[in-house]
């Protein structure tokens, strides 16, 4: 449900698949596998080999027919394409249950997403420690983003605060927002917004179950 | 990233959009709005009116040209289609930070997704209270699902335990799984699996930011 002008020709729907290929390639590399065919990738992922070849072709001609892909090369190319050959700094706004869980989420740091600040508006939460960081008052958000050149804001506040929080992050110069708030944030030129409402995800499940 | 044989003709990619329409319709209904045009829906959602008409047409001819949609009728039809005119019972497996946050997530209950059990394999966590529920040992999962006719399992355990946990849920007779574990679960006939890896969502953001 993200949106952005896309300059690569990669359809947005392919990006999560690329992330999955990347995860598998990491595993193969650890296992000492040097080359892999699209067929083997497909088998390991429960996916379609033609789809995989098509997805990888957006980034150039990686594979050699009959020989397969060089795992290390494909890994580095995909990492670069997905922007995880570098570190990103991010803040989490909203230090409730979900925000705290996100701040402590192992997988983020592993992929180069470093949480450098946690913010909340609640006086009872400000000053507490979350994942080793002291929760700061929301009033400091704009300056903090600016001074630390923070690139990503994760928004985990209630729906009624999300638009205001996003506006503050944009004012500070944020480049991307991942929002868990069940509300649509206004489009902002130059800022990529990715919305992920957990209730919507359950509704998707409910939809399929109610078809039976 | 879910997968299922789909019997409605609704493309999977449209389902999250339907959930968003539903949320807006709830709000319009509360505001006392009786009729709404696809244009007004589009304006409120920052979406495309033709897309909205197409999405809603999967469920029959709701709208009347020049008159718009009857809000209450569309609301009840969409709720039925999305399976949220009824209650779903679910368990959360993995009572770590994320699992606990999910158990306490307000939005789930509001949409009819009722958490009836929380499970963990860690002896230090079992017996503790999360969202008013006592955390049960994983060994009780199969029987609990069976005895309580639980329909949905939310899996928030580490990658290395997820496949085993999903197998237990399936053994108990689960119908749908929402998994936050960064690993692909094996397809199981009759069980809808929806995978949502939070790191992947950040990678999607990283991908777009690294295009600039």
């Amino acid at each position: 449900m993200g949106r952005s002008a896309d300059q690569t020709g990669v359809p947005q729907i392919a990006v999560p698949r690329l992330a999955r290929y990347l995860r598998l390639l990491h595993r193969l590399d650890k296992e000492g596998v040097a080359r892999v065919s699209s067929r083997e990738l497909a088998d390991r992922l429960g996916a379609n080999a033609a789809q995989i070849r098509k997805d990888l072709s957006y980034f150039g001609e990686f594979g050699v027919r009959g020989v397969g892909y060089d795992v290390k090369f494909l890994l580095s190319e995909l990492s670069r394409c997905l922007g995880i050959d570098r570190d990103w700094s991010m803040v989490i706004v909203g230090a409730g249950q979900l925000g705290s869980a996100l701040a402590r989420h192992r997988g983020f740091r592993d992929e180069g997403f470093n949480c450098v600040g946690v913010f909340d508006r609640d006086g009872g939460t400000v000053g507490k420690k979350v994942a080793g960081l002291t929760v700061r008052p929301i009033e400091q958000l704009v300056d903090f983003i600016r001074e630390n050149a923070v690139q990503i804001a994760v928004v985990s506040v209630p729906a009624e605060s999300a638009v205001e929080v996003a506006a503050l992050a944009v004012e500070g110069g944020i480049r991307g927002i991942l929002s868990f708030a069940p509300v649509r944030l206004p489009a902002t030129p130059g800022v990529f917004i990715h919305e992920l409402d957990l209730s919507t995800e359950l509704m998707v499940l409910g939809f399929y179950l109610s078809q039976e």
Side-chain angles (χ1 to χ4, degrees), chain A:
Chain A
M1 280 191 276
R3 49 196 194 276
S4 165
D6 178 7
Q7 297 131 6
T8 59
V10 180
Q12 185 169 323
I13 195 160
V15 177
R17 288 199 298 267
L18 296 175
R20 221 149 58 202
Y21 304 157
L22 186 69
R23 211 156 56 207
L24 175 55
L25 289 165
H26 268 302
R27 210 155 54 222
L28 291 172
D29 186 42
K30 266 192 206 161
E31 293 170 8
V33 176
R35 299 199 76 85
V36 66
S37 69
S38 54
R39 165 58 42 209
E40 290 163 315
L41 287 173
D43 286 347
R44 296 272 298 239
L45 290 165
N48 179 286
Q51 175 78 74
I52 290 175
R53 283 193 298 274
K54 182 163 194 300
D55 286 342
L56 296 179
S57 74
Y58 291 117
F59 301 98
E61 290 301 322
F62 288 151
V64 179
R65 190 180 294 269
V67 178
Y69 299 95
D70 181 301
V71 170
K72 276 197 196 300
F73 180 69
L74 188 53
L75 194 54
S76 82
E77 286 299 294
L78 266 188
S79 296
R80 195 178 50 74
C81 293
L82 286 170
I84 62 168
D85 59 335
R86 58 166 104 173
D87 274 13
W88 298 97
S89 72
M90 67 178 192
V91 290
I92 292 176
V93 190
Q97 292 289 337
L98 181 61
S100 301
L102 295 169
R104 295 185 179 103
H105 195 63
R106 271 190 308 177
F108 290 166
R109 194 166 292 267
D110 292 349
E111 305 294 355
F113 295 94
N114 300 310
C115 181
V116 295
V118 180
F119 293 81
D120 206 285
R121 69 156 14 109
D122 176 32
T125 306
V126 169
K128 288 192 175 159
K129 286 260 184 191
V130 172
L133 296 166
T134 303
V135 179
R136 297 165 190 269
I138 194 85
E139 290 74 19
Q140 298 179 5
L141 182 63
V142 175
D143 286 342
F144 186 90
I145 290 173
R146 196 173 285 146
E147 286 160 18
N148 296 279
V150 177
Q151 295 144 316
I152 294 173
V154 175
V155 174
S156 51
V157 299
E160 54 272 22
S161 314
V163 172
E164 186 198 338
V165 160
L168 291 173
V170 168
E171 190 187 335
I174 212 76
R175 294 179 55 213
I177 295 175
L178 173 61
S179 172
F180 289 87
V183 65
R184 190 154 180 99
L185 299 178
T188 308
V191 179
F192 181 75
I193 299 175
H194 187 51
E195 291 165 1
L196 180 66
D197 173 19
L198 297 176
S199 298
T200 300
E201 302 296 327
L202 267 180
M203 279 189 230
V204 171
L205 208 56
F207 168 74
Y208 283 103
L209 297 187
S210 58
Q211 304 307 311
E212 293 172 5

